[in-house]
Amino acid sequence: MLGSLNLDRYVKNSFEDNCEFDFNSFERDIKDVTIFMNEVLEEGIKYLPLEEQKESVRKHRQLGIGIMGMADMFIRMKIIYGSKESKQLIEKILSVMANTSLQQSALLAKEYGTYEVYDKEAVLESPYLNFVATQETMSMIRKYGLRNAELLSIAPTGSLSTMLGVSGGCEPIFANSFSRKSESLGTEGQPVYYKVYTSIVKEYMNKFNITNEEDLPEYFVTAMDLDYRRRIELQGVLQKYIDSAISSTVNLPEETTIEEVEDLYIYAWEQGLKGVTIYRENCLRTGILTTNKKKESSRLDRIDELREEIDKLALEEFEEHPDKCPICSSDNIMHSNGCITCADCGYSPCSI
């Protein structure tokens, strides 16, 4: 059960010297989200396909309240991602998030009872709880227990954040502008690449009449510009307040060495991270988003050229002989929803 709050929406007076984070609204929403997600969890138990899954949910009642839009929030407040100020702010936000959700879970336990395998002694001795919980929070848990074994988890929120036009999870913005690839908009089987400005960048440039992204202030920190150690340190602050896990990806330049990758993982472990993923630019598997920077010619470029050439030849052959697959020569051709697909190898001109 996952749900994320958009931190970007809690900033008052964006880009101004008197900007501030609306903690009152945030705390109110955390209470509501804890209640709503607990109810959705209860309603969803009957729809789980396996009895083992139903039993696990009943025993633990785990929630995954998370965040997104963190990088956008920093930009609106003119704070550099990874700076001391950013760590102090997010620590304050996550402390409110942890304590408010714990207190609300305690109130739910008062009304409905604790989760089935709740062990009061073990919970009260939890290192996590003894670090994040205020005296008020501990008092409520000691009195009522908890309705949920876990409450917080930061997911990547890729689809959600993209739909809302904000940064995903706890990630920095990918780039000020980037190229998006579309396989469906092109003609003659060719993909289309088009430039897109990150929403917060576009908003700022419009507001202050900036036409060149090179003129953006220093707090527009991107994933490729951010030193990986500062990236890890900020996630380490977050992890202290998250009782479950954090999903995040550290973007690295192509020239990153094996030794630096090793250092990244060891440093992540030293900072208390439960997990981290890396993506090195120009690896064999291309990322969903790419920058406009010119890449050096490589064998991967040649592979792409050959793939496009094969697709073009296959499409021409299929148009000339529509009842025979140009890839495997099978005549087991299916027609569905206006598309033609080979039932043996799966080839279809609609997928090019």
Side-chain angles (χ1 to χ4, degrees), residues 19-50:
C19 62
E20 60 179 339
F21 188 86
D22 187 356
F23 280 97
N24 290 331
S25 296
F26 183 66
E27 185 174 351
R28 177 200 64 210
D29 292 345
I30 290 294
K31 292 178 181 178
D32 289 341
V33 166
T34 305
I35 295 171
F36 297 158
M37 288 183 65
N38 185 71
E39 291 179 352
V40 172
L41 181 75
E42 181 66 38
E43 180 65 24
I45 292 177
K46 60 187 176 185
Y47 297 108
L48 294 171
L50 301 178

Side-chain angles (χ1 to χ4, degrees), residues 265-329:
Y265 278 119
I266 292 176
Y267 195 57
W269 172 73
E270 292 173 345
Q271 292 294 310
L273 273 60
K274 291 185 179 181
V276 68
T277 302
I278 70 164
Y279 178 79
R280 188 174 67 85
E281 190 175 26
N282 289 342
C283 284
L284 183 59
R285 181 182 178 187
T286 305
I288 297 174
L289 303 178
T290 59
T291 62
N292 288 314
K293 296 179 181 179
K294 186 176 180 180
K295 300 175 182 178
E296 297 181 0
S297 178
S298 66
R299 61 186 181 87
L300 297 180
D301 297 327
R302 181 56 181 156
I303 291 173
D304 288 339
E305 292 174 3
L306 291 172
R307 185 181 294 115
E308 291 177 4
E309 185 177 348
I310 291 172
D311 288 341
K312 183 179 180 180
L313 291 173
L315 184 60
E316 292 175 353
E317 180 67 20
F318 207 67
E319 289 175 347
E320 186 173 347
H321 303 286
D323 295 323
K324 185 176 181 181
C325 177
I327 302 299
C328 69
S329 299

Side-chain angles (χ1 to χ4, degrees), residues 207-275:
K207 181 179 177 67
F208 295 98
N209 298 316
I210 294 177
T211 57
N212 188 347
E213 60 186 87
E214 298 298 325
D215 296 329
L216 291 169
E218 63 178 350
Y219 47 82
F220 278 84
V221 178
T222 66
M224 293 304 297
D225 297 330
L226 183 61
D227 177 78
Y228 69 79
R229 281 192 161 233
R230 290 174 63 190
R231 172 78 167 75
I232 292 297
E233 288 167 4
L234 184 56
Q235 187 175 334
V237 173
L238 292 165
Q239 188 64 80
K240 293 176 183 178
Y241 295 88
I242 302 297
D243 55 356
S244 186
I246 299 172
S247 177
S248 69
T249 300
V250 178
N251 293 87
L252 300 172
E254 186 175 5
E255 59 269 19
T256 302
T257 65
I258 294 175
E259 291 74 20
E260 287 174 321
V261 172
E262 180 183 18
D263 176 69
L264 187 154
Y265 278 119
I266 292 176
Y267 195 57
W269 172 73
E270 292 173 345
Q271 292 294 310
L273 273 60
K274 291 185 179 181

